């Protein structure tokens, strides 16, 4: 009778390294301590976004990649986790990941044929690339065939056989999102990230900011796109701090070329996450060599960040006054450089400008009509994305006097106004390809409507939108057989059923086995076609019977 009680007691206790027993209550205390450590008030970063200057600018923290940590700060650990904690302790053989948490509903993971290799190390920066093994290449060819069929069911069938094929997961996620199945779309993106993270090189680091991936290599693009789509889902889910961390990660993979142009997004996420100091630090450190002030989003978001910093009462008065001065100077420069932003921004915020601003030609309709299409895309993207941040009455009250100050400078023919007009005419002639790629992925209707015809007229695939023109191709898809143009309708019908069928007998001589198989296939289909010809020849059409009463009322039974 004592035996079961002893076993039960053993299950309740664990031993630590010193040989002392640790009760379950103590384990709960450890969990509560970990939650306290994750408290932003105790972390090096405060709610205002003060970051230690000793860290690299694009330093990524592992704890900020988990959206549950952010949700726990908002709603509490009990509301987020609920009764998940006991279940997680019972899970077996689950590999811990940083980018996403594997789910019990996912298929069992096995090696997919994707690996990561270290190419070289230059000036302390490590350059990596993903590689596709031969078996994964074959699946990739099947995926391209499924995409060309324009039938999502073919991608579903491919995923049933290869549940962790990354491009199939990305493409099917877009299909689910179009069908308003947001939960499934997000789950497929997380599964793609899990598959790619399982292939990481042992020395590849997400947090160091010194690991690079070249977007020109097709094998690397899936990682960029999966991260971007994941952060968009996180932002819509209400986790801007986590989305900002993923945005920093994407930028750190290729900060020079920025293939997805996340610089057009990082300011919005910084403002939403209240990481104002990070945004101002990014502007100060990169303005000299990246000219961030020439992007409308940085020109307006940075002074807005300084304004929010000046409103934080816990800061010293000197810092607040310096922030107010910088905000005033930068917002005036932004209004002078990009006057076409003001009226659409006020319109989106449902704010009616006063008579002087509404009637002045500097901010009027001519400001939008006279700007180049490339600049129109940037301003439309910014207004459509961030107008909600400007709706605050305090922000509008701060903006109003600076608008009038700019009009004074315009009426006085200030040199800054003339210089800004000259810059707008010379620059922004055409947008680079990465900006078009960003607009397509962001799906902001204001900016998408301004895309040029050469972009909208070509097919855009979710797994590889607007691939670079200078791609580095490591393997190519086998060429499909050329088909004669004088094929009959019946032959085209069979070819739609059997894409590799060739009625004329032109067989590729890649090997004796393939040639023999193709010959057997042609003979079988030829026999089938001969039988169908006989069947069609024997079909006799009978005339409809004449009724005895042709003058009937014509009613149908």
């Amino acid at each position: 009778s004592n035996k079961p009680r002893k076993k039960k007691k053993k299950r309740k206790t664990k031993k630590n390294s010193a040989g002392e027993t640790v009760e379950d209550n103590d384990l709960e205390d450890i969990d509560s301590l970990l939650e306290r450590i994750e408290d932003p008030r105790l972390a090096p970063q405060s709610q205002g976004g003060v970051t230690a200057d000793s860290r690299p600018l694009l330093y990524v923290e592992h704890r900020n990649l988990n959206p549950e940590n952010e949700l726990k700060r908002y709603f509490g650990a009990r509301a987020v986790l609920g009764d998940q904690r006991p279940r997680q302790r019972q899970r077996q053989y689950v590999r811990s990941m940083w980018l996403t948490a594997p789910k019990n509903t996912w298929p069992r993971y096995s090696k997919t044929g994707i690996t990561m290799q270290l190419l070289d190390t230059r000036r302390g920066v490590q350059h990596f690339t993903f590689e596709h093994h031969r078996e994964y290449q074959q699946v990739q060819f099947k995926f391209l065939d499924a995409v060309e069929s324009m039938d999502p069911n073919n991608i579903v069938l491919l995923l049933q056989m290869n549940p962790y094929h990354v491009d199939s997961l990305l493409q099917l996620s877009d299909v689910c999102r179009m069908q308003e199945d947001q939960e499934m779309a997000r789950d497929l993106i997380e599964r793609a990230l899990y598959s790619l993270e399982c292939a990481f090189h042992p020395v590849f680091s997400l947090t160091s900011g010194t690991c690079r991936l070249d977007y020109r290599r097709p094998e690397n693009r899936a990682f960029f796109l999966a991260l971007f789509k994941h952060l968009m889902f996180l932002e819509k889910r209400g986790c801007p701090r986590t989305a900002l961390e993923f945005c920093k990660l994407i930028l750190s993979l290729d900060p020079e070329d920025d293939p997805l142009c996340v610089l057009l997004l990082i300011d919005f996420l910084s403002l939403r996450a209240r990481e104002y100091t990070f945004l101002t630090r990014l502007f100060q450190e990169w303005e000299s060599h990246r000219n961030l002030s020439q992007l409308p989003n940085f020109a307006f978001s940075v002074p807005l960040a300084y304004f929010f910093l000046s409103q934080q009462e816990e800061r010293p008065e000197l810092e607040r006054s310096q922030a107010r001065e910088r905000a005033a100077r930068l917002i005036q420069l932004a209004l002078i450089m990009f006057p076409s932003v003001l009226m659409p921004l006020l319109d989106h915020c449902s704010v009616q400008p006063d008579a002087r601003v509404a009637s002045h030609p500097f901010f009027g309709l001519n400001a939008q009509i006279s700007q180049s299409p490339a600049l129109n895309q940037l301003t439309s993207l910014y207004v459509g994305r961030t107008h909600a941040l400007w709706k605050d009455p305090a922000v509008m009250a701060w903006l109003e006097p600076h608008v009038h100050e700019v009009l004074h400078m315009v009426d006085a023919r200030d040199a800054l106004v003339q210089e800004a007009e000259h810059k707008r005419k010379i620059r922004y002639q055409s947008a680079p390809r990465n900006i078009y790629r960003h607009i397509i992925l962001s799906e902001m209707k204001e900016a998408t409507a301004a895309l040029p015809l050469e972009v909208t007229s070509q097919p855009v695939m979710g797994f590889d939108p607007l691939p670079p023109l200078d791609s580095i191709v490591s393997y190519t898809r086998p060429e499909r057989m050329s088909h004669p143009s004088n094929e009959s309708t019946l032959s085209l019908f069979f070819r739609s059923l059997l894409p590799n069928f060739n009625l004329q007998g032109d067989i590729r001589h890649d090997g004796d086995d393939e040639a023999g198989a193709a010959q057997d296939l042609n003979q079988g289909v030829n026999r089938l076609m001969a039988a169908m010809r006989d069947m069609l020849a024997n079909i006799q059409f009978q005339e409809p019977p004449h009724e005895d009463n042709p003058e009937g009322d014509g009613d149908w039974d």
Side-chain angles (χ1 to χ4, degrees):
S1 60
N2 295 331
K3 212 169 187 180
R5 268 185 290 173
K6 288 184 179 178
K7 286 186 177 180
K8 189 174 181 181
K9 189 174 181 180
K10 287 182 180 178
R11 284 198 298 267
K12 279 186 178 181
T13 60
K14 294 183 180 181
K15 289 195 174 183
N16 59 11
S17 58
E20 300 174 355
T21 58
V22 180
E23 299 290 338
D24 279 351
N25 292 334
D26 296 332
L27 293 175
E28 295 293 337
D29 293 339
I30 293 174
D31 288 342
S32 63
L33 284 174
L34 291 175
E35 291 171 9
R36 287 184 58 196
I37 292 174
E38 290 171 355
D39 193 326
R41 293 169 296 182
L42 304 178
Q45 289 186 329
S46 70
Q47 189 66 25
V50 180
T51 309
D53 291 336
S54 59
R55 291 179 175 176
L57 180 64
L58 298 180
Y59 177 81
V60 176
E61 291 188 76
H62 279 143
R63 67 185 182 90
N64 288 331
L65 292 174
N66 187 355
E68 285 191 356
N69 292 336
E70 184 173 4
L71 292 174
K72 282 190 286 187
R73 289 198 293 268
Y74 297 152
F75 307 108
R78 188 174 299 278
V80 175
L81 297 178
D83 58 347
Q84 294 180 13
R85 213 172 290 175
R87 294 180 185 176
Q88 287 179 354
R89 287 175 182 168
Q90 295 174 5
R91 291 176 63 177
Q92 297 179 355
Y93 310 113
V94 175
R95 184 175 178 181
S96 177
M97 293 294 175
W98 292 117
L99 297 179
T100 183
K103 301 178 181 178
N104 291 327
T105 56
W106 289 357
R108 181 179 295 274
Y109 178 81
S110 60
K111 289 187 177 180
T112 59
I114 302 180
T115 58
M116 179 184 279
Q117 299 296 330
L118 175 62
L119 296 179
D120 58 5
T121 302
R122 297 191 299 268
R123 299 177 183 177
V125 176
Q126 298 170 314
H127 296 263
F128 295 86
T129 184
F130 285 98
E131 289 186 350
H132 293 172
H133 292 179
R134 183 175 180 82
E135 59 271 16
Y136 192 89
Q137 294 178 14
Q138 299 301 319
V139 179
Q140 187 74 8
F141 299 150
K142 294 178 182 178
F143 164 73
L144 296 176
D145 291 339
V147 170
E148 290 180 356
S149 70
M150 306 298 290
D151 186 0
N153 292 321
N154 292 333
I155 302 178
V156 174
L157 293 174
L158 185 63
L159 276 176
Q160 290 177 355
M161 302 297 296
N162 307 274
Y164 287 95
H165 181 254
V166 178
D167 284 350
S168 297
L169 293 168
L170 296 179
Q171 190 70 22
L172 190 60
S173 174
D174 286 349
V175 175
C176 294
R177 190 167 41 81
M178 293 176 187
Q179 296 176 352
E180 302 299 329
D181 191 353
Q182 302 292 334
E183 189 66 28
M184 178 58 71
R186 188 178 70 193
D187 187 78
L188 293 171
I189 294 298
E190 292 179 0
R191 203 199 300 180
L193 283 175
Y194 177 74
S195 177
L196 290 168
E197 189 174 0
C198 288
F200 278 178
H201 192 276
V203 299
F204 182 80
S205 172
L206 296 171
T207 61
S208 65
T210 59
C211 295
R212 303 286 185 264
L213 288 173
D214 194 342
Y215 193 81
R216 294 176 300 171
R217 297 180 180 270
E219 297 89 343
N220 296 337
R221 294 172 197 165
F223 189 51
F224 283 88
L225 295 170
L227 290 173
F228 189 91
K229 294 173 186 286
H230 185 57
L231 77 85
M232 296 299 289
F233 280 119
L234 289 170
E235 191 273 327
K236 293 177 182 177
R237 191 182 172 188
C239 300
R241 183 65 186 87
T242 310
L244 174 62
E245 209 71 8
F246 275 91
C247 192
K248 290 161 60 177
L249 173 59
I250 296 175
L251 188 58
S252 70
L253 295 176
D254 194 351
E256 290 79 17
D257 296 329
D258 191 11
L260 301 186
C261 209
V262 292
L263 282 177
L264 297 178
L265 175 65
I266 197 168
D267 62 299
F268 168 67
L269 296 176
S270 300
L271 292 173
R272 278 214 57 200
R274 300 182 182 182
E275 295 289 330
Y276 309 128
T277 304
F278 167 76
L279 179 57
T280 56
R281 182 189 173 194
L282 175 64
F283 181 76
Q284 292 169 2
E285 294 188 12
W286 284 27
E287 167 64 13
S288 59
H289 66 282
R290 298 294 290 267
N291 292 324
L292 297 182
S293 60
Q294 302 306 303
L295 293 173
N297 59 309
F298 272 93
F300 281 88
S301 291
V302 171
L304 185 60
Y306 276 120
F307 168 73
F308 285 133
L309 287 174
S310 69
Q311 301 298 305
Q312 295 179 348
E313 297 181 355
E314 65 272 13
R315 291 185 174 275
E317 182 59 33
L318 179 60
E319 288 186 15
R320 295 176 62 187
S321 62
Q322 290 176 348
R324 277 193 294 268
E325 293 175 3
R326 292 176 182 173
R329 177 172 54 86
L330 291 175
I331 192 61
Q332 292 178 18
L333 291 176
L335 291 168
I336 292 173
M337 188 65 196
F338 306 105
S340 62
V341 172
L342 179 65
M343 299 307 288
L345 184 61
L346 296 179
D347 183 57
H348 276 73
C349 296
S350 302
V351 174
Q352 185 69 29
D354 58 26
R356 185 188 178 206
V357 176
S359 60
H360 202 286
F362 185 72
F363 292 120
L365 186 61
N366 185 54
Q368 286 124 40
I369 297 176
S370 60
Q371 67 181 355
S372 65
L375 183 56
N376 184 33
Q377 293 155 17
L378 294 175
T379 56
S380 300
L381 181 69
Y382 179 72
V383 171
R385 175 174 279 157
T386 62
H387 63 88
L389 299 173
W390 292 82
K391 285 185 176 181
D392 188 350
V395 174
M396 283 296 166
W398 162 73
L399 178 64
E400 184 178 4
H402 298 300
V403 173
H404 287 284
E405 181 63 27
V406 168
L407 291 181
H408 281 302
M409 298 173 66
V410 173
D411 295 337
R413 299 183 180 275
D414 193 287
L416 282 175
V417 179
Q418 307 297 327
E419 181 183 355
E421 183 179 0
H422 180 66
K423 288 180 179 179
R424 286 197 303 273
K425 290 180 180 180
I426 295 178
R427 302 171 182 175
Y428 314 107
Q429 295 301 316
S430 62
R433 200 170 178 86
N434 62 339
I435 290 182
Y436 292 148
R437 197 177 294 126
H438 177 89
I439 293 175
I440 291 172
L441 291 171
S442 300
E443 296 183 348
M444 297 294 302
K445 60 181 181 180
E446 294 86 355
T448 306
L451 285 173
L453 184 61
E454 60 266 19
V455 175
T456 57
S457 60
Q458 57 180 302
V460 177
M461 298 299 176
F463 69 94
D464 191 9
L466 295 182
L469 301 178
D470 56 346
S471 298
I472 302 175
V473 180
S474 59
Y475 66 93
T476 57
R477 183 183 178 189
E479 294 184 3
R480 307 290 290 272
M481 288 184 299
S482 60
H483 308 308
S485 59
N486 57 349
E487 288 183 296
S488 63
T489 304
L490 195 59
S491 177
L492 291 174
F493 167 71
F494 277 108
R495 191 176 301 287
S496 67
L497 299 178
L498 302 169
N500 295 324
F501 164 66
N502 187 353
L503 180 64
Q504 310 299 327
D506 297 333
I507 305 167
R508 291 182 299 174
H509 300 285
D510 295 338
D512 296 338
D513 295 339
E514 294 183 5
Q519 185 66 38
D520 293 341
L521 176 62
N522 285 338
Q523 291 176 0
V525 175
N526 285 333
R527 287 195 297 269
L528 177 61
M529 291 184 64
M532 290 192 66
R533 289 195 197 99
D534 295 340
M535 181 183 67
L536 294 174
N538 293 330
I539 292 178
Q540 296 181 358
F541 296 95
Q542 296 181 353
E543 295 183 1
H546 297 283
E547 296 187 5
D548 297 336
N549 184 18
E551 297 180 358
D553 54 9
D555 292 339
W556 293 84
D557 292 335

